Amino acid sequence: MIKPLSITLAIAAAFPPVAVAQEELTRVVVTGSNIRTSQKEGASAVQVLTAKELAATGKVTVSDILRTISANSGNSYNEQYTGSFSAGTSGLSLRGLGQKNTLILVNGKRVSPYATAQNLQEVFVDLNSLPMAAVQRIEVLKDGASSVYGSDAVAGVVNIILYKEFTGTEVSAQVGSSTEGTGQVERSFALQTGFGSLDEKGWNVVFSIDGQKRDKLQQSDVPWLRDSDFRGNANGTLGWVPTNYYGTSDPTKLLGGVQGPLQVKNYGDITPGKSGSVLAYNAADYRTLIPGVERLHTSVRGNLKINDNTEAYAEALYGYSWAGQTFGAPLTVGSGLRAWNNAKQALDNINVVLPVGHPNNSTNAPQPFTATLFDLGARQKQDKVDFYRALTGVKGSWNGWDYDASIARSGSKMKETVQNFVNRYEFEKVLAEGSYNFADQSKNSEAVRNRLRLSTLRPAESTLTVADFNASTELAQLPAGALGFAFGGQWRQEEMDSNTSSAVLSGTELRPAINIIKGKREVTAAFAEFNVPVVKDLTVNLAGRADRYSDFGSAFSPKASVRYQAAPWLLLRSTVSRGFRAPSLPEITNSTSVSYGSVIDKLDPVTPTQPRGITNITIANTELSPERSNNFNFGFVVAPSSNSSVGVDLYRIRTKGVIGTESADTILANEKTSPEKVVRDAQGRILTLYRQYANQGERVASGIDIDLRHKLPKTAYGNFILNAQISRVFKFEQPLSNGAALTNGAGTNYFGSIPKWRGTTSATWELGQWSTNAAWNFVDGYEQTTRPGERVKPVATVDLNVGYKISAATSVNLIVTNLFDRKPSWDSSFAFFDYTQADPRGRFASVKLNHKF
């Protein structure tokens, strides 16, 4: 197979270096600096997605666009992560370092993170809450930027820039459907309009609104997934779930028989090495792959010229998002069933035993059992989120200084409702009474089912209040040019109140999942930056920022960068910086979480070689320090002509004091010295592991980004533009357990799947009224680390967008994603495919109509 680097070198060699004159550019502030510059390429690599490029993708959300960039190496999640406490959301993880290490800005300023944390500890900005219709361009800084923006900018910064001025009105509507028989339909619309003119009238207003509605996609809707039979794949099994058995932990001791979704299956097909027959159900019937969504975003910005040197502005963003999904199969009751005891901050064990005399117990002794309560219906979940940001400020110039001051309030408020959970107290009653038939649930009355059914509400809210000020000037004229200087300060208050339902706190809900976060802190910061022209074509930038947090203390982030225009066609650049990530509120403040996982416990008396389902209780740590990083970047840009460029940038990020919890293997290895971290039942089987966040080992990530751009001369055959962005991960090193040596996870799934190669290549052809854009998206394969001999294969998809201008004002587009219907690669660790890297929908075709007034 030809690797992307070979393609890159071939294209680069095709363009001989040609000296070109540097064009005079308007002085602007680019992401990663507070100083205005006319340089088209700076000392840090910034990928710019223009309005034209955004439209050419045919995608309707900010998330769908950003998640295709090559620097999104891994460990980022979208709404396919249905088991999350943040269902229906989407984030971005530059360099594979997690969403918490990628800073998302709108118009260069912070917005509130999502109402609660993902994966218990990750505080992140939900891309699905941000408007798409108002976006003019997106700048992706692929370098550490804590010296300018503070915490969270370790891996890079994404700056979503909205239209400041817009003339006229533009509307569009789009509808699409999967062509592969899944039945999923997606509809969207957008409107943007502008009034006034800042230059001519002294004021202007830009308003936009966009919306999206998409049907829910179940696993049972996808033809190649609906039977859950993966036995033809490496380490694949029949993806059915054993249930309804009694007496022991052996699922071959059947309780009842075939009923509802239950069928008799060969145990060995489900769990290799086992024998006998079991009652089991098809998990596909209860698994949502992509939630149904309804979203609405609005944006309004107004600008007012006070005088020739002063301008006031105000901006408001609002996003509504609803996501609905099947949370899972009806509750299974059996060994390990628990409910929360808020007084003890622990879990109470619930006795799941058929008493003597129960209709399902034909013996003269109490019988432990396991059963799934199918007649209560699948558990359902809906998340409703309201996001907003209100911002106002003033900017201008005074005595040679350019300044910008603003205040903003932003928030994210979530309400999560679930249905068909089970009432613990009613369950204990019907079990004792014998009024619920576990073996033949068709005989249960609707009255007893309604007694057991439980619906709950979980609220969560996150708020951010920010006051910003920055100013810049030219301090002096040096022999090589102007000495640029900028300084500023920031105050912000972060608050998160993520609660759980009253049913959980009262101990009413069986098998609760909990993510309680309640914290508040203030941050003050001061920063400064110098841009020093040393000699002609050689510029040094020095920046530093000091942050003071009310909870853990202080952090200082310096940065030095060099930009050298070695020749008109050759730019060399390099940066060295220190950064930090402040402990998130769930990590350092008052928080408790209860989640579920599995371990292989060699001391398990029943299944010492098989995964055992367990409960994790995780708590915060007020003694945490920030994660501190050292970033190094070096790169060059070759411009063979005014229409071509080849950019190559190397990066290395070393982070110390990475915040995490002990792995299950580490806890079990130290059980004798720390027995309080492991709770076992009377048989000696693990029930619960207790964890706490701590600053642990270090992490090293390194790699290379390649950016290729070429525009062919215009001919009778039209305009051709070729772009390619390719990323290669060299190292992604972390210890596998506390105190262990670093292990390289690049090209493996040791630390989440981290493919070595990822790339997007696009070709645009414009001829007369026609425009065509084809994009090739490549994700490399990776090694399975827990299943020897299995490798996840690479996958490449092609997206096509063909447009035709009906008139000067009206156009129509046919958009097809995954044109050749490539299926995601098999990954047994995800049961079928890695949802962080792939999409199960197959070919998806849409039609878009656009009109300008």
Side-chain angles (χ1 to χ4, degrees), residues 451-763:
R451 285 173 58 188
L452 290 171
R453 289 186 179 115
L454 181 69
S455 297
T456 66
L457 170 67
R458 179 172 73 95
E461 184 171 9
S462 173
T463 58
L464 176 70
T465 307
V466 187
D468 277 303
F469 171 78
N470 68 78
S472 63
T473 190
E474 295 179 351
L475 289 178
Q477 284 294 325
L478 302 180
L483 172 63
F485 172 68
F487 78 97
Q490 183 183 83
W491 171 88
R492 70 178 188 268
Q493 183 182 85
E494 303 170 353
E495 188 170 4
M496 184 171 282
D497 185 3
S498 174
N499 216 323
T500 190
S501 70
S502 58
V504 169
L505 294 177
S506 64
T508 304
E509 184 180 313
L510 285 175
R511 201 179 184 270
I514 300 172
N515 192 22
I516 298 175
I517 308 163
K518 191 170 181 61
K520 182 179 181 179
R521 65 181 174 201
E522 293 186 0
V523 185
T524 55
F527 50 87
E529 181 181 355
F530 290 90
N531 203 53
V532 185
V534 180
V535 295
K536 183 182 178 181
D537 298 325
L538 176 63
T539 304
V540 174
N541 184 281
L542 302 173
R545 175 175 170 129
D547 288 81
R548 175 73 182 177
Y549 281 71
S550 60
D551 43 19
F552 70 81
S554 301
F556 178 67
S557 307
K559 183 173 183 177
S561 60
V562 177
R563 181 190 187 278
Y564 177 43
Q565 192 74 48
W569 53 269
L570 176 61
L571 168 68
L572 303 177
R573 58 191 179 194
S574 182
T575 66
V576 179
S577 65
R578 290 185 59 193
F580 76 101
R581 183 183 75 84
S584 65
L585 290 177
E587 293 168 337
I588 198 172
T589 192
N590 181 26
S591 69
T592 302
S593 67
V594 174
S595 60
Y596 300 91
S598 62
V599 299
I600 295 178
D601 175 24
K602 63 182 180 180
L603 300 180
D604 191 292
V606 181
T607 55
T609 62
Q610 298 293 333
R612 158 79 172 167
I614 55 102
T615 303
N616 296 298
I617 297 182
T618 308
I619 59 174
N621 182 353
T622 58
E623 302 301 317
L624 289 175
S625 299
E627 299 178 352
R628 300 186 185 272
S629 64
N630 293 312
N631 291 48
F632 172 75
N633 291 68
F634 172 78
F636 62 85
V637 179
V638 177
S641 72
S642 59
N643 291 325
S644 303
S645 68
V646 178
V648 178
D649 290 276
L650 293 158
Y651 69 89
R652 185 178 186 272
I653 306 170
R654 181 181 182 184
T655 305
K656 293 185 176 181
V658 175
I659 298 172
T661 62
E662 290 180 306
S663 68
D665 290 341
T666 300
I667 293 174
L668 294 180
N670 297 296
E671 185 176 357
K672 289 184 178 179
T673 56
S674 301
E676 72 281 357
K677 296 181 180 180
V678 183
V679 177
R680 295 179 179 271
D681 64 15
Q683 296 181 75
R685 310 191 76 191
I686 294 177
L687 293 174
T688 304
L689 295 182
Y690 281 87
R691 305 168 184 257
Q692 186 177 33
Y693 294 114
N695 292 101
Q696 298 179 324
E698 65 179 69
R699 177 180 58 222
V700 178
S702 65
I704 188 171
D705 293 324
I706 302 166
D707 187 292
L708 306 170
R709 297 176 184 271
H710 182 61
K711 183 178 181 180
L712 276 67
K714 186 175 182 179
T715 69
Y717 299 102
N719 296 328
F720 291 89
I721 300 173
L722 304 174
N723 290 328
Q725 288 77 43
I726 302 164
S727 296
R728 167 68 153 88
V729 180
F730 295 144
K731 291 183 179 180
F732 194 92
E733 296 181 329
Q734 286 185 218
L736 292 176
S737 60
N738 290 17
L742 296 180
T743 296
N744 189 9
T748 76
N749 60 358
Y750 272 126
F751 313 112
S753 54
I754 306 290
K756 287 185 178 180
W757 290 97
R758 186 170 183 134
T760 299
T761 302
S762 66

Side-chain angles (χ1 to χ4, degrees), residues 225-272:
L225 291 173
R226 61 172 53 123
D227 63 1
S228 295
D229 190 348
F230 308 115
R231 287 173 288 183
N233 299 288
N235 297 306
T237 62
L238 183 66
W240 287 50
V241 181
T243 185
N244 284 44
Y245 50 92
Y246 74 101
T248 68
S249 299
D250 183 1
T252 62
K253 298 293 183 70
L254 307 184
L255 176 66
V258 173
Q259 57 173 298
L262 284 177
Q263 299 291 322
V264 176
K265 294 293 180 181
N266 179 14
Y267 196 6
D269 289 337
I270 299 172
T271 306

Side-chain angles (χ1 to χ4, degrees), residues 30 43 119 267 301 311 333 358 362 367 378 413 427 458 559 596 627 677 691 724 749 773 780 785 827 829:
V30 298
N119 280 340
Y267 196 6
R301 179 182 173 108
E311 176 185 322
V333 296
H358 191 284
S362 59
Q367 293 294 317
K413 189 172 185 179
F427 171 75
R458 179 172 73 95
K559 183 173 183 177
Y596 300 91
E627 299 178 352
K677 296 181 180 180
R691 305 168 184 257
N749 60 358
N773 178 268
D780 200 6
T785 57
D827 182 340
S829 65

Side-chain angles (χ1 to χ4, degrees), residues 411-470:
S412 173
K413 189 172 185 179
M414 183 268 289
K415 291 182 179 180
E416 180 179 273
T417 56
V418 295
Q419 298 86 33
N420 296 339
F421 277 54
V422 179
N423 186 311
R424 171 245 191 113
Y425 301 111
E426 291 300 324
F427 171 75
E428 290 175 326
K429 288 179 183 177
V430 299
L431 184 58
E433 298 166 356
S435 55
Y436 184 90
N437 192 319
F438 297 94
D440 186 354
Q441 295 171 17
S442 65
K443 295 180 178 179
N444 293 321
S445 68
E446 196 61 25
V448 76
R449 292 170 183 156
N450 287 333
R451 285 173 58 188
L452 290 171
R453 289 186 179 115
L454 181 69
S455 297
T456 66
L457 170 67
R458 179 172 73 95
E461 184 171 9
S462 173
T463 58
L464 176 70
T465 307
V466 187
D468 277 303
F469 171 78
N470 68 78

Side-chain angles (χ1 to χ4, degrees), residues 47-49 54 57 59-73 76 90-94 102-106 125-128 130-132 135 137-142 157-161 758 760:
Q47 179 181 349
V48 180
L49 303 171
L54 297 175
T57 67
K59 300 185 184 300
V60 297
T61 69
V62 172
S63 168
D64 288 345
I65 288 172
L66 285 175
R67 289 178 59 81
T68 63
I69 66 174
S70 63
N72 182 34
S73 305
S76 67
S90 183
L92 187 69
S93 170
L94 295 177
T102 300
L103 180 62
I104 306 294
L105 305 174
V106 176
V125 171
D126 175 23
L127 299 175
N128 286 337
L130 301 179
M132 180 62 193
V135 177
R137 70 182 184 277
I138 299 175
E139 296 180 353
V140 182
L141 174 68
K142 303 175 185 180
V157 179
V158 174
N159 189 7
I160 300 167
I161 299 170
R758 186 170 183 134
T760 299

